Amino acid sequence: MSDQVIRVYVPATMPMLTALRASGQLGAVEGHAVTPALREWYAEGDEEELEYVAFTRAAQGALRLLRHDPDAPRRRVVVSADVPAAVVHREDDELGSSAVRVRAAGGRRRGPPTRDRAPAAAGGAPPPAEVVEEALAGDPDAQFTVDGAEDHELEWYDVSELETLT
């Protein structure tokens, strides 16, 4: 059995972070990681750049979760976890894909959970969580709004600080 671990970036919401703190387990989740398809697509990228792509996609996934949970505080959350390679499965083989599924395994949360406040767009425009699907479908106005949220870097917290975040 391999001891290899893979860093997975899991999109989440504050209520999901609370559940993680209570259980101490990731469970079965969808996330993003540096996959062979991502490496092939971004062949010039070094490991840090590839990790940043996976992380950014997870942050966008957190916006999608907020769209479907109107009661959750409007904060993007990304949980970074090192999990055994044996429980990480690619979601698709499309060139550039970073999507993975993690089977319940109680991954070791080595990387810090991260979060930020998803800002509302100025001028009465919809907040990023409300237009993220349209942005993914190619709407340039929606993409501009989502890009505005992505311009705000997430704050980093160590796993020992999880108590203070929830």
Side-chain angles (χ1 to χ4, degrees):
M1 183 100 188
S2 172
D3 289 339
Q4 182 182 12
V5 295
I6 295 176
R7 168 113 348 128
V8 177
Y9 299 97
V10 180
T13 62
M14 292 302 288
M16 294 168 74
L17 196 58
T18 300
L20 173 61
R21 189 187 89 215
S23 71
Q25 303 285 319
L26 275 178
V29 294
E30 292 180 10
H32 293 271
V34 177
T35 63
L38 181 60
R39 281 185 199 285
E40 184 179 345
W41 171 74
Y42 195 22
E44 307 83 41
D46 63 19
E47 194 66 23
E48 187 174 317
E49 290 171 312
L50 293 169
E51 291 281 344
Y52 188 75
V53 169
F55 172 81
T56 301
R57 290 178 179 173
Q60 190 172 66
L63 281 177
R64 295 175 85 185
L65 291 172
L66 288 172
R67 180 176 184 158
H68 300 292
D69 188 354
D71 296 330
R74 309 316 314 165
R75 293 185 178 272
R76 294 180 298 166
V77 176
V78 175
V79 175
S80 171
D82 293 338
V83 297
V87 300
V88 178
H89 302 282
R90 290 184 302 216
E91 285 285 280
D92 65 54
D93 290 327
E94 183 178 326
L95 187 62
S97 175
S98 61
V100 296
R101 179 164 248 329
V102 179
R103 287 185 289 139
R108 297 171 290 182
R109 295 169 302 174
R110 291 190 183 192
T114 59
R115 70 180 174 122
D116 78 349
R117 184 176 303 276
E130 299 307 316
V131 297
V132 67
E133 299 292 341
E134 290 83 351
L136 291 171
D139 181 315
D141 293 331
Q143 187 62 53
F144 181 78
T145 301
V146 170
D147 287 347
E150 291 175 355
D151 286 343
H152 295 273
E153 292 292 324
L154 278 72
E155 299 170 354
W156 288 84
Y157 295 86
D158 186 82
V159 70
S160 65
E161 298 174 290
L162 189 57
E163 183 78 27
T164 64
L165 297 177
T166 58

